[in-house]
Amino acid sequence: MPYYGYYGYGYDPLYLIIVLVTTVVGLMAQGYINSTYRRWSKVPSDGETGKQVARRMLDASGCGRVGILGTPGHLSDHYDPRDNNLYLSRENLSGGSVASVAVACHEAGHAAQRESGYFMMKVRHALVPVVNFTQNVWTIVFLLGFMMDMAGLTWLAIAMFAFSVLFQLVTLPVEIDASRRAVAYIEGSGMSEVNVRGARKVLTAAALTYVAAALSSVLQLMYLLARTHRDDDN
Ligand SMILES: [Zn+2]
C-alpha cells in the first residue's frame, strides 16, 4: 500500500473502505487460484509432464528455439522475453498433472505471442521500463507535492501512477490470450477432455488474480483523482 496513508489520507473513511475492499478481493482471488491449482494438480494428465506438453506446443507454434528451464518457488512459472526461455517451477516442469500441463502451456502461449508479433504484448513490453521507473518514484513525488502543498507535483505523481494502472490493464488481454492459446493447443492436440476442462478452470482462476490487481489499481487511481480534485477546489 502507498505511504501517503500516514499523511492524512488514512483518516479518510472512503480510502479505508477502498483498501479493505481491494485487500479482500485480492485475498479471495489468491485463495481461489491456490485451491483450484491444488485440486487439479491431483488429477493426472495423459502421462506427459508439463515440460513435455509445453515442448510440443512450442514446436507446433514455431518456437523451436525457445528453451524450457526450471525455476525455484511455487507458481513462479513465467516466460522471459529477454532470453526467450520458459521458466517452470519444479512441480509444473516435471509434474504430470492437469494443472502442470495447463500452466506450462500458458507460458508457452506467451512465447507464441512473441513469435506471432501479438500487438498487446509489444505494448506491455514497451511499458516495462516506464513502469519500473514510475512505480518507484510516484509515491515520493506525491509526498513532496502533499508536504509542499504543490498541486503540480501531486498531479505529476498521479500521472506516474496512471502508468502502473495502464500496465495492469494491458496485462489482462495478454494473460487471457496466453491462456486461450494454451487451451486451444491442449484441445487441438487431442489430449483427453479432462485436460481441457482442468486447463480452463486453472487458467480462469489465474486470470482472476490479474483482474483483482487491475481492479484494485483502477479504484486507487479513481480515488486519487477525486481526492486531489476535491482538495484543489478547497
Ligand atoms: Zn502469463
Side-chain angles (χ1 to χ4, degrees), residues 84-104:
N84 204 21
N85 283 320
L86 301 194
Y87 289 87
L88 301 180
S89 59
R90 201 158 46 101
E91 53 200 329
N92 293 330
L93 186 77
S94 51
S97 72
V98 167
S100 309
V101 168
V103 174

Side-chain angles (χ1 to χ4, degrees), residues 148-161:
M148 294 160 71
D149 202 20
M150 287 174 67
L153 278 184
T154 309
W155 284 113
L156 176 66
I158 293 176
M160 286 175 156
F161 181 68

Side-chain angles (χ1 to χ4, degrees), residues 211-223:
V211 173
L215 182 74
S216 157
S217 59
V218 165
L219 276 176
Q220 279 197 51
L221 179 64
M222 284 167 64
Y223 175 80

Side-chain angles (χ1 to χ4, degrees), residues 155-193:
W155 284 113
L156 176 66
I158 293 176
M160 286 175 156
F161 181 68
F163 273 104
S164 302
V165 180
L166 180 65
F167 184 73
Q168 280 178 313
L169 291 177
V170 170
T171 296
L172 283 181
V174 174
E175 291 304 324
I176 290 165
D177 178 78
S179 292
R180 188 191 56 77
R181 289 172 196 252
V183 173
Y185 179 77
I186 291 168
E187 194 167 26
S189 68
M191 294 188 79
S192 60
E193 193 270 337

Side-chain angles (χ1 to χ4, degrees), residues 8-32:
Y9 277 49
Y11 303 110
D12 186 341
L14 178 59
Y15 182 70
L16 291 179
I17 289 169
I18 289 176
V19 170
L20 194 70
V21 167
T22 56
T23 305
V24 169
V25 169
L27 287 174
M28 281 168 63
Q30 204 57 51
Y32 185 57

